[in-house]
Amino acid sequence: QVQLVESGGGLVQPGGSLRLSCAASGFTLDYHAIGWFRQAPGKEREGVSCISSISSGDGSTYYADSVKGRFTISRDNAKNMVYLQMNSLKPEDTAVYYCAAGGLLTVQFMCVHPRSSHSWGQGTQVTVSS
């Protein structure tokens, strides 16, 4: 059974940090582009950051303009995990964060077109508030 599970969300003050984790079971993340997406109440789901598959060989990443310089996406191939390090968090980062697998999609396409991803986790809530 293919499954993605997010963890690491929570309540943090503005300026704080969180690290989200995406764990996969039933398939190997190496062969998939992986993305982090978020959805705030009343808003559409948007791509936050995406990382290319190991098999693509290019190691490319994509970041939404709103998170550049603050968020970092990374993979741990041995653990079959993908992470999103979020620093300098702002109230507008508040949302449910999801990870998704996108096969051989390019990172920009995957992040700009969330519906192109084929497997999704259940999400983890991130709340940035004082």
Side-chain angles (χ1 to χ4, degrees):
Q1 182 181 0
V2 174
Q3 190 174 14
L4 293 171
V5 178
E6 303 91 341
S7 61
L11 173 64
V12 63
Q13 292 186 344
S17 297
L18 284 173
R19 189 178 80 155
L20 304 184
S21 299
C22 175
S25 60
F27 70 109
T28 301
L29 290 179
D30 292 5
Y31 304 110
H32 296 266
I34 302 298
W36 283 98
F37 301 82
R38 67 187 181 187
Q39 189 165 18
K43 295 187 177 181
E44 292 189 358
R45 192 168 297 187
E46 63 173 351
V48 174
S49 181
C50 295
I51 188 167
S52 62
S53 65
I54 297 298
S55 54
S56 74
D58 63 12
S60 57
T61 57
Y62 173 92
Y63 295 93
D65 288 343
S66 58
V67 306
K68 281 181 181 176
R70 300 189 296 122
F71 291 11
T72 303
I73 191 169
S74 62
R75 324 178 62 118
D76 185 329
N77 303 325
K79 295 182 178 179
N80 209 27
M81 300 276 289
V82 174
Y83 304 100
L84 185 69
Q85 178 68 42
M86 306 187 296
N87 299 328
S88 303
L89 283 161
K90 304 176 181 181
E92 51 263 44
D93 294 318
T94 295
V96 178
Y97 283 70
Y98 302 87
C99 66
L104 297 179
L105 294 174
T106 63
V107 292
Q108 181 170 351
F109 186 89
M110 183 179 184
C111 262
V112 173
H113 302 280
R115 295 183 181 181
S116 63
S117 297
H118 59 72
S119 298
W120 291 84
Q122 294 301 306
T124 184
Q125 176 70 46
V126 172
T127 302
V128 185
S129 175
S130 55

